[in-house]
Coordinates of all heavy atoms in Angstrom, one line a residue:
V389 N -51.6 43.9 50.0 CA -51.9 44.2 51.4 C -52.8 43.2 52.0 O -52.7 42.8 53.2 CB -52.4 45.6 51.5 CG1 -52.8 46.0 52.9 CG2 -51.4 46.6 51.1
K392 N -51.3 40.0 53.7 CA -50.4 40.0 54.8 C -50.9 39.4 56.1 O -50.3 38.5 56.7 CB -49.8 41.4 55.0 CG -49.1 42.0 53.8 CD -48.6 43.4 54.1 CE -48.2 44.1 52.8 NZ -47.0 43.5 52.1
R424 N -39.9 41.3 55.6 CA -40.1 42.8 55.4 C -41.4 43.0 54.7 O -42.2 43.9 55.0 CB -38.9 43.3 54.6 CG -39.0 44.8 54.4 CD -37.6 45.4 53.9 NE -37.3 44.9 52.6 CZ -37.8 45.4 51.5 NH1 -38.7 46.4 51.5 NH2 -37.5 44.9 50.3
M425 N -41.8 42.1 53.7 CA -43.0 42.2 53.0 C -44.2 41.9 53.9 O -45.2 42.6 53.9 CB -43.1 41.2 51.8 CG -42.4 41.6 50.6 SD -43.0 43.2 50.0 CE -41.6 43.7 49.1
L426 N -44.0 41.0 54.8 CA -45.1 40.6 55.7 C -45.5 41.7 56.7 O -46.7 41.8 57.0 CB -44.7 39.3 56.5 CG -44.9 38.0 55.8 CD1 -44.3 36.9 56.7 CD2 -46.4 37.7 55.6
I427 N -44.5 42.4 57.2 CA -44.8 43.4 58.3 C -45.2 44.7 57.8 O -45.6 45.6 58.5 CB -43.6 43.5 59.3 CG1 -42.4 44.0 58.6 CG2 -43.4 42.2 60.0 CD1 -41.4 44.6 59.5
D428 N -45.1 44.9 56.5 CA -45.4 46.2 55.9 C -46.8 46.6 56.2 O -47.8 45.8 55.9 CB -45.2 46.1 54.3 CG -45.2 47.5 53.7 OD1 -45.3 48.5 54.4 OD2 -45.1 47.5 52.4
T429 N -47.0 47.7 56.9 CA -48.4 48.1 57.4 C -49.0 47.3 58.5 O -50.1 47.5 58.9 CB -49.4 48.3 56.3 OG1 -49.8 47.0 55.8 CG2 -48.9 49.2 55.1
Q430 N -48.3 46.3 59.0 CA -48.8 45.3 60.0 C -48.2 45.6 61.4 O -47.2 45.0 61.7 CB -48.6 43.9 59.6 CG -49.1 43.5 58.2 CD -50.6 43.6 58.1 OE1 -51.4 43.1 58.9 NE2 -51.0 44.4 57.1
A431 N -48.8 46.6 62.1 CA -48.1 47.1 63.4 C -47.9 45.9 64.4 O -46.8 45.8 65.0 CB -49.0 48.2 64.0
D432 N -48.9 45.1 64.6 CA -48.8 44.0 65.6 C -47.6 43.1 65.3 O -46.8 42.7 66.2 CB -50.1 43.3 65.8 CG -51.2 44.1 66.4 OD1 -50.8 45.2 66.9 OD2 -52.4 43.7 66.3
A434 N -45.1 43.7 63.3 CA -43.8 44.4 63.4 C -43.4 44.4 64.9 O -42.2 44.3 65.2 CB -43.9 45.8 62.8
A469 N -37.7 48.7 59.1 CA -39.2 48.5 58.9 C -39.8 48.1 60.2 O -41.0 48.4 60.5 CB -39.4 47.4 57.9
H473 N -43.0 50.4 61.2 CA -44.3 49.9 61.2 C -44.9 49.6 62.5 O -46.1 49.6 62.7 CB -44.4 48.6 60.3 CG -44.1 48.9 58.8 ND1 -44.8 49.7 58.1 CD2 -43.1 48.4 58.0 CE1 -44.3 49.8 56.9 NE2 -43.2 49.0 56.8

Side-chain angles (χ1 to χ4, degrees):
V389 175
K392 296 179 196 294
R424 190 165 62 78
M425 281 301 158
L426 277 173
I427 62 163
D428 194 2
T429 70
Q430 306 297 305
D432 292 348
H473 296 301

